[in-house]
Amino acid sequence: MQSRFRSDRRLTTRMGVTLFLLGLLYVGFVAALIVVLKSWVLVVVVAAGLLGAQYWFSDRVALFAMRGRVVERDEYPELHSVIDRLCAMADMPKPVVAVSAMDMPNAFATGRNPDHAVVCVTTGLLRRLDPAELEGVLAHELSHVAHKDVAVITVASFLGVIAGLIVRFAFYSQLFSEGRRDQNTAAIFAVVMGVSAAVYAISFLLIRALSRYRELAADRAAALLTGRPSALASALTKVSGDIARIPTKDLRTAQAFNAFYFTPALGSEPGVARLFSTHPSLEQRLDQLGRISAELGEAAAPGGV
């Protein structure tokens, strides 16, 4: 079913290109492991099993990692009401609603398709935003579900995760087994580690490029659906500023899921990390929302639509 969120052909094209390139990379990666490890059955079965688990259980993994829990209407009636209204406006299925008991103000969407999606907000976000700002953030997250880019990011991130795990496994295997392996085995591990590191680096860059664009697309779709880009801009400014004041040690667990968040869990001095961020800069996002506000003539009608 097609939702009323504004379609974005450039986003669709970027998702297709990213999946195609990652697919080629994935096939090459599996082929290299088969040649090196000389066991295609093991490699294919393990890779397919992990990919399936990533696709089918990504929502549960994300909720568990972020201490989120599904909430019913009687617990959070206002949150459910906003999501109900937005889903009716967008003509899309209502996702499962969850809340994470974290002070970090943020939200994320996950799931394999619009019929099996979860939108989760933190208690820190609910406490800080007014109703119009919350509506803008939730519209942003619902647009990820409607555009299906959340599923693409979930699948795309799989290859980097597996490559990273293999690098760690090879490293620690060599570290704790040094002196007990022959030269051939050591060479095999070196090749596997090198291939995995290269695959991780390439997938990392491809995912970052897609992720930054999809956030701009979600901001744009949310602003056009609600008709209040200034409310979304206010939420962005407020959330980004508050996250910057949260101690870095409290953000470390959350940073593994930055690609899914409304705003990245970065400290006050992200440094080089900003160059590899999953999100465009706050300035870019606010500039885009400012242009949309001017196009909609929001200044002439402060209440929006």
Side-chain angles (χ1 to χ4, degrees), residues 78-79 82 86 121 125-126 129-139 231 235:
E78 294 181 6
L79 176 61
V82 174
L86 289 171
V121 298
L125 184 84
L126 294 175
L129 301 188
D130 66 33
E133 292 167 342
L134 179 62
E135 181 184 66
V137 172
L138 291 173

mmCIF file of all heavy atoms in Angstrom, residues 78-79 82 86 121 125-126 129-139 231 235:
data_model
loop_
_atom_site.group_PDB
_atom_site.id
_atom_site.type_symbol
_atom_site.label_atom_id
_atom_site.label_comp_id
_atom_site.label_asym_id
_atom_site.label_seq_id
_atom_site.Cartn_x
_atom_site.Cartn_y
_atom_site.Cartn_z
ATOM 1 N N GLU A 78 -1.472 9.927 24.918
ATOM 2 C CA GLU A 78 -1.136 11.035 24.025
ATOM 3 C C GLU A 78 -0.190 10.586 22.919
ATOM 4 O O GLU A 78 -0.336 10.990 21.756
ATOM 5 C CB GLU A 78 -0.515 12.186 24.824
ATOM 6 C CG GLU A 78 -1.482 12.838 25.804
ATOM 7 C CD GLU A 78 -0.853 13.983 26.565
ATOM 8 O OE1 GLU A 78 0.302 14.342 26.251
ATOM 9 O OE2 GLU A 78 -1.502 14.519 27.472
ATOM 10 N N LEU A 79 0.774 9.747 23.261
ATOM 11 C CA LEU A 79 1.702 9.230 22.258
ATOM 12 C C LEU A 79 0.952 8.417 21.211
ATOM 13 O O LEU A 79 1.169 8.585 19.995
ATOM 14 C CB LEU A 79 2.769 8.367 22.946
ATOM 15 C CG LEU A 79 3.780 7.656 22.046
ATOM 16 C CD1 LEU A 79 4.576 8.675 21.233
ATOM 17 C CD2 LEU A 79 4.716 6.782 22.886
ATOM 18 N N VAL A 82 -1.126 10.734 18.845
ATOM 19 C CA VAL A 82 -0.337 11.412 17.807
ATOM 20 C C VAL A 82 -0.007 10.446 16.679
ATOM 21 O O VAL A 82 -0.138 10.779 15.485
ATOM 22 C CB VAL A 82 0.958 12.000 18.402
ATOM 23 C CG1 VAL A 82 1.838 12.568 17.291
ATOM 24 C CG2 VAL A 82 0.642 13.090 19.413
ATOM 25 N N LEU A 86 -1.189 10.691 12.726
ATOM 26 C CA LEU A 86 -0.218 10.731 11.631
ATOM 27 C C LEU A 86 -0.419 9.563 10.663
ATOM 28 O O LEU A 86 -0.304 9.736 9.445
ATOM 29 C CB LEU A 86 1.201 10.714 12.193
ATOM 30 C CG LEU A 86 1.658 11.995 12.898
ATOM 31 C CD1 LEU A 86 2.989 11.761 13.607
ATOM 32 C CD2 LEU A 86 1.792 13.144 11.901
ATOM 33 N N VAL A 121 10.233 5.785 21.232
ATOM 34 C CA VAL A 121 10.707 7.086 21.720
ATOM 35 C C VAL A 121 11.241 6.902 23.130
ATOM 36 O O VAL A 121 10.824 5.989 23.851
ATOM 37 C CB VAL A 121 9.586 8.148 21.717
ATOM 38 C CG1 VAL A 121 9.079 8.390 20.316
ATOM 39 C CG2 VAL A 121 8.437 7.731 22.630
ATOM 40 N N LEU A 125 12.823 12.173 25.507
ATOM 41 C CA LEU A 125 12.224 12.924 24.407
ATOM 42 C C LEU A 125 10.823 13.396 24.783
ATOM 43 O O LEU A 125 10.469 14.557 24.572
ATOM 44 C CB LEU A 125 12.159 12.049 23.149
ATOM 45 C CG LEU A 125 11.638 12.761 21.894
ATOM 46 C CD1 LEU A 125 12.786 13.505 21.225
ATOM 47 C CD2 LEU A 125 11.016 11.777 20.914
ATOM 48 N N LEU A 126 10.025 12.490 25.336
ATOM 49 C CA LEU A 126 8.653 12.837 25.713
ATOM 50 C C LEU A 126 8.628 13.969 26.730
ATOM 51 O O LEU A 126 7.735 14.822 26.710
ATOM 52 C CB LEU A 126 7.946 11.608 26.287
ATOM 53 C CG LEU A 126 7.695 10.446 25.314
ATOM 54 C CD1 LEU A 126 7.110 9.253 26.051
ATOM 55 C CD2 LEU A 126 6.770 10.880 24.180
ATOM 56 N N LEU A 129 9.813 17.630 24.714
ATOM 57 C CA LEU A 129 9.167 18.218 23.542
ATOM 58 C C LEU A 129 7.710 18.585 23.805
ATOM 59 O O LEU A 129 7.004 17.890 24.537
ATOM 60 C CB LEU A 129 9.235 17.258 22.349
ATOM 61 C CG LEU A 129 10.618 16.831 21.875
ATOM 62 C CD1 LEU A 129 10.499 16.043 20.575
ATOM 63 C CD2 LEU A 129 11.551 18.029 21.691
ATOM 64 N N ASP A 130 7.277 19.652 23.145
ATOM 65 C CA ASP A 130 5.855 19.984 23.204
ATOM 66 C C ASP A 130 5.119 19.159 22.140
ATOM 67 O O ASP A 130 5.756 18.508 21.310
ATOM 68 C CB ASP A 130 5.639 21.490 23.037
ATOM 69 C CG ASP A 130 6.038 22.011 21.656
ATOM 70 O OD1 ASP A 130 5.899 21.281 20.663
ATOM 71 O OD2 ASP A 130 6.475 23.182 21.578
ATOM 72 N N PRO A 131 3.775 19.159 22.129
ATOM 73 C CA PRO A 131 3.028 18.292 21.201
ATOM 74 C C PRO A 131 3.373 18.477 19.726
ATOM 75 O O PRO A 131 3.488 17.496 18.980
ATOM 76 C CB PRO A 131 1.567 18.673 21.487
ATOM 77 C CG PRO A 131 1.573 19.093 22.922
ATOM 78 C CD PRO A 131 2.880 19.810 23.106
ATOM 79 N N ALA A 132 3.542 19.725 19.280
ATOM 80 C CA ALA A 132 3.856 19.971 17.865
ATOM 81 C C ALA A 132 5.235 19.429 17.510
ATOM 82 O O ALA A 132 5.436 18.858 16.426
ATOM 83 C CB ALA A 132 3.781 21.468 17.563
ATOM 84 N N GLU A 133 6.202 19.597 18.406
ATOM 85 C CA GLU A 133 7.551 19.089 18.165
ATOM 86 C C GLU A 133 7.553 17.556 18.138
ATOM 87 O O GLU A 133 8.202 16.943 17.291
ATOM 88 C CB GLU A 133 8.500 19.604 19.248
ATOM 89 C CG GLU A 133 8.740 21.104 19.193
ATOM 90 C CD GLU A 133 9.427 21.632 20.438
ATOM 91 O OE1 GLU A 133 9.421 20.934 21.487
ATOM 92 O OE2 GLU A 133 9.982 22.747 20.380
ATOM 93 N N LEU A 134 6.812 16.954 19.068
ATOM 94 C CA LEU A 134 6.728 15.491 19.095
ATOM 95 C C LEU A 134 6.091 14.970 17.814
ATOM 96 O O LEU A 134 6.542 13.960 17.261
ATOM 97 C CB LEU A 134 5.911 15.045 20.310
ATOM 98 C CG LEU A 134 5.701 13.532 20.461
ATOM 99 C CD1 LEU A 134 7.035 12.811 20.630
ATOM 100 C CD2 LEU A 134 4.770 13.239 21.638
ATOM 101 N N GLU A 135 5.075 15.649 17.334
ATOM 102 C CA GLU A 135 4.436 15.243 16.084
ATOM 103 C C GLU A 135 5.437 15.258 14.930
ATOM 104 O O GLU A 135 5.459 14.353 14.091
ATOM 105 C CB GLU A 135 3.262 16.172 15.766
ATOM 106 C CG GLU A 135 2.525 15.791 14.486
ATOM 107 C CD GLU A 135 1.430 16.777 14.143
ATOM 108 O OE1 GLU A 135 1.763 17.949 13.841
ATOM 109 O OE2 GLU A 135 0.244 16.387 14.161
ATOM 110 N N GLY A 136 6.272 16.289 14.878
ATOM 111 C CA GLY A 136 7.268 16.373 13.816
ATOM 112 C C GLY A 136 8.261 15.229 13.867
ATOM 113 O O GLY A 136 8.601 14.635 12.838
ATOM 114 N N VAL A 137 8.732 14.892 15.077
ATOM 115 C CA VAL A 137 9.687 13.796 15.231
ATOM 116 C C VAL A 137 9.051 12.462 14.835
ATOM 117 O O VAL A 137 9.652 11.646 14.119
ATOM 118 C CB VAL A 137 10.198 13.718 16.687
ATOM 119 C CG1 VAL A 137 11.050 12.459 16.891
ATOM 120 C CG2 VAL A 137 11.014 14.963 17.016
ATOM 121 N N LEU A 138 7.824 12.231 15.281
ATOM 122 C CA LEU A 138 7.149 10.970 14.958
ATOM 123 C C LEU A 138 6.842 10.866 13.462
ATOM 124 O O LEU A 138 6.927 9.780 12.881
ATOM 125 C CB LEU A 138 5.866 10.841 15.778
ATOM 126 C CG LEU A 138 6.084 10.641 17.283
ATOM 127 C CD1 LEU A 138 4.762 10.695 18.028
ATOM 128 C CD2 LEU A 138 6.787 9.310 17.554
ATOM 129 N N ALA A 139 6.496 11.985 12.840
ATOM 130 C CA ALA A 139 6.282 11.979 11.385
ATOM 131 C C ALA A 139 7.583 11.627 10.658
ATOM 132 O O ALA A 139 7.577 10.894 9.655
ATOM 133 C CB ALA A 139 5.766 13.341 10.922
ATOM 134 N N ALA A 231 8.166 23.368 13.533
ATOM 135 C CA ALA A 231 8.067 22.532 14.728
ATOM 136 C C ALA A 231 9.134 21.447 14.712
ATOM 137 O O ALA A 231 9.754 21.140 15.739
ATOM 138 C CB ALA A 231 6.677 21.901 14.824
ATOM 139 N N ALA A 235 12.311 20.947 17.274
ATOM 140 C CA ALA A 235 12.632 19.671 17.923
ATOM 141 C C ALA A 235 14.080 19.277 17.658
ATOM 142 O O ALA A 235 14.787 18.825 18.570
ATOM 143 C CB ALA A 235 11.689 18.581 17.420
#
